Amino acid sequence: AQKITQTQPGMFVQEKEAVTLDCTYDTSDPSYGLFWYKQPSSGEMIFLIYQGSYDQQNATEGRYSLNFQKARKSANLVISASQLGDSAMYFCAMRSLGGGADGLTFGKGTHLIIQP
Amino acid sequence: NAGVTQTPKFQVLKTGQSMTLQCAQDMNHEYMSWYRQDPGMGLRLIHYSVGAGITDQGEVPNGYNVSRSTTEDFPLRLLSAAPSQTSVYFCASSTRQGAYEQYFGPGTRLTVT
């Protein structure tokens, strides 16, 4: 079974500061993908970034980067130069890539609030 | 492309009533799935399908039925609604190759009284 743990229920950050959202995972699958999603107050799920378990480099997408430490089973999301529009719930998720196609396993999320 | 669409956006049911939540995608994705999101929780997988005619259970399948007669549509049926099924329901689709990124619909907010 897969498990995602997000230990920060809520975070307050000053605008323009960098933010690190923590995510640890547990799986016995040798091949898996790690995802981060943003859910603003409007409710939609917005895909941010993906990291494959065999990717050699950490993934980056604009202001988002994923700090992947495989040995520690962590996949932290880093948001550089935070903006007021970054205020939202953030979910870490994982999926087996071994052909089981059993969907995403989500953490409980971190509520990020950016303060001016 | 419309992406993933869900209807209705909001629904109120009485205990014991049945209904179908609709989900459709126009991206020719093989994989489709249903999740529910309860307050303070992440999304949990209800059922999924890897192609037309093939469905399987996720983490929380009890009380829900699904079928997949076409690639585009993946309806979720509540046969006898219970207050415990009050939740926000998301449908998602993806290819089965590459990053397996899942594209989510806008969600259906269901209240069972």
Side-chain angles (χ1 to χ4, degrees), chain A residues 42-63:
Chain A
S42 51
E44 70 268 31
M45 296 293 290
I46 301 169
F47 167 75
L48 295 178
I49 196 166
Y50 165 83
Q51 177 85 42
S53 59
Y54 288 108
D55 293 341
Q56 295 297 317
Q57 294 189 330
N58 287 344
T60 60
E61 290 285 350
R63 292 187 300 114

Side-chain angles (χ1 to χ4, degrees), chain A residues 11-17 19 81-88 111-116:
Chain A
M11 288 185 70
F12 289 87
V13 173
Q14 289 296 120
E15 190 180 7
K16 297 188 177 65
E17 290 184 351
V19 181
S82 58
Q83 302 171 356
L84 296 178
D86 294 331
S87 294
H111 189 192
L112 176 65
I113 297 175
I114 307 298
Q115 296 175 313

Side-chain angles (χ1 to χ4, degrees), chain A residues 56-72:
Chain A
Q56 295 297 317
Q57 294 189 330
N58 287 344
T60 60
E61 290 285 350
R63 292 187 300 114
Y64 304 107
S65 61
L66 199 152
N67 184 2
F68 180 47
Q69 298 188 44
K70 193 171 182 178
R72 300 177 67 177

Side-chain angles (χ1 to χ4, degrees), chain A residues 33 35 37 39 42-47 50 91 95-109, chain B residues 31 33 35 37 40-45 48 50 58-59 90 94-96 98-106:
Chain A
F35 303 78
Y37 284 86
Q39 186 178 43
S42 51
E44 70 268 31
M45 296 293 290
I46 301 169
F47 167 75
Y50 165 83
F91 293 97
R95 181 175 185 178
S96 170
L97 301 182
D102 57 351
L104 288 164
T105 299
F106 283 83
K108 293 187 177 182
Chain B
Y31 185 97
S33 53
Y35 296 85
Q37 183 179 26
M41 303 283 290
L43 280 67
R44 291 183 292 168
L45 183 67
Y48 66 94
V50 300
E59 180 186 355
F90 288 95
S94 69
T95 63
R96 295 195 67 205
Y100 291 141
E101 176 192 339
Q102 296 209 15
Y103 295 82
F104 284 85

